Amino acid sequence: LFRLNPDQFLKRAIASRPSDPSATASAFSQWVFLLYNSHNGDEEDQKKGIEIEKSVWDRRVEAMLANDNSFLQRTRPEWYLEHCGLHVDDASVGYFEIPSLEIKGEPLRCSPDLLYLHMRKSEYIVVEMKYSRMEIPTNLWPNLWAQLWCYSQIPRVARSNGVTVVGEVWRDTESGIIHEQIFGPKIYPDLESKKRQITLQASVRRDPRKPAYDRFFRRLFDIYRGQE
């Protein structure tokens, strides 16, 4: 369990307010991360994360294609993938702007990993995926929920009848890991390993419209953008 004292966390946020905040959900999430973790991911970490996204997307597609047409006709799935922000091809993924979350006159920009719409009910599911080999707390991490809170403020999502945000954590099996022997204890995926497997380690969902959730991250965002 990740233990967080809201009052102490907000005091730390005020003391660490950025002087020049960027108007992106990922920058806000990274700032929240650094409030409780001193490690700042480097370019290599980001590159590996993008490579994992492709593997996870391929796994999802394979699972979908494993169902035959008669099954799909019987179930008549009503959830529609409205936006995919994963780096799964060379095309630009695009992004949303959130005018209600403005920073120095600039609307917040964001691109959720997966945004699903239930067209009949007008409800959304927003999924954010992380790759981590850290110990995973049962309620995941504050920066993940901060990023998902931003996504829940996307105008079309905010106007919907309901929204559920989902945090997913994926990792490699040990057979697909290279242990760096020269420059220290760093480990990274062996992308060429035939034994490599990407597995889902945790999936947690929450309602971002619950008062306690919304109040906490809204205040954090106001601190981040310098309005408190």
Side-chain angles (χ1 to χ4, degrees):
L1 179 67
F2 188 97
R3 299 188 180 279
L4 184 150
N5 182 306
D7 290 337
Q8 291 181 0
F9 200 84
L10 290 171
K11 287 180 181 178
R12 191 177 309 146
I14 293 172
S16 304
R17 190 195 318 270
S19 58
D20 187 24
S22 296
T24 66
S26 58
F28 171 55
S29 171
Q30 181 66 12
W31 173 73
V32 173
F33 174 76
L34 292 175
L35 291 177
Y36 65 91
N37 193 312
S38 59
H39 172 72
N40 194 351
D42 56 24
E43 272 189 36
E44 188 65 22
D45 292 333
Q46 295 172 12
K47 181 181 177 182
K48 296 305 178 187
I50 292 174
E51 290 167 343
I52 292 298
E53 286 182 0
K54 179 65 167 62
S55 298
V56 172
W57 175 255
D58 290 343
R59 184 185 176 106
R60 288 180 183 274
V61 172
E62 287 174 6
M64 180 184 67
L65 294 178
N67 297 316
D68 58 42
N69 289 336
S70 60
F71 171 80
L72 293 175
Q73 289 174 2
R74 288 196 306 274
T75 56
R76 294 184 179 179
E78 296 184 275
W79 288 100
Y80 163 71
L81 180 58
E82 188 174 86
H83 174 84
C84 176
L86 301 176
H87 298 78
V88 294
D89 52 37
D90 295 331
S92 173
V93 295
Y95 60 86
F96 296 95
E97 291 188 345
I98 309 177
S100 63
L101 300 181
E102 197 175 81
I103 297 177
K104 296 182 179 178
E106 186 178 354
L108 191 75
R109 301 184 304 278
C110 65
S111 180
D113 283 346
L114 299 169
L115 182 63
Y116 292 96
L117 168 66
H118 194 293
M119 290 183 283
R120 180 172 56 84
K121 295 181 179 179
S122 184
E123 295 178 354
Y124 278 93
I125 292 178
V126 193
V127 181
E128 180 68 13
M129 301 186 316
K130 297 296 184 185
Y131 171 76
S132 177
R133 293 195 54 77
M134 297 168 56
E135 182 178 351
I136 303 171
T138 55
N139 59 345
L140 306 185
W141 302 283
N143 62 303
L144 174 64
W145 299 120
Q147 198 160 349
L148 284 164
W149 175 82
C150 291
Y151 298 156
S152 73
Q153 307 303 310
I154 294 170
R156 66 183 67 183
V157 178
R159 292 193 300 265
S160 70
N161 293 333
V163 56
T164 299
V165 293
V166 182
E168 291 184 354
V169 183
W170 296 76
R171 71 171 48 158
D172 287 276
T173 55
E174 285 295 335
S175 59
I177 292 296
I178 296 174
H179 293 264
E180 178 59 72
Q181 301 297 326
I182 299 175
F183 298 107
K186 188 171 183 178
I187 57 178
Y188 52 93
D190 180 2
L191 301 176
E192 304 302 322
S193 172
K194 294 181 179 179
K195 295 182 179 180
R196 180 173 179 250
Q197 291 183 344
I198 308 298
T199 57
L200 177 63
Q201 297 296 303
S203 179
V204 182
R205 60 178 54 203
R206 296 180 66 179
D207 178 359
R209 294 181 180 177
K210 285 197 171 181
Y213 185 137
D214 180 69
R215 183 169 54 248
F216 179 74
F217 287 103
R218 190 174 296 277
R219 188 173 176 200
L220 261 183
F221 187 80
D222 283 341
I223 293 171
Y224 172 76
R225 64 177 170 177
Q227 290 192 4
E228 179 174 327

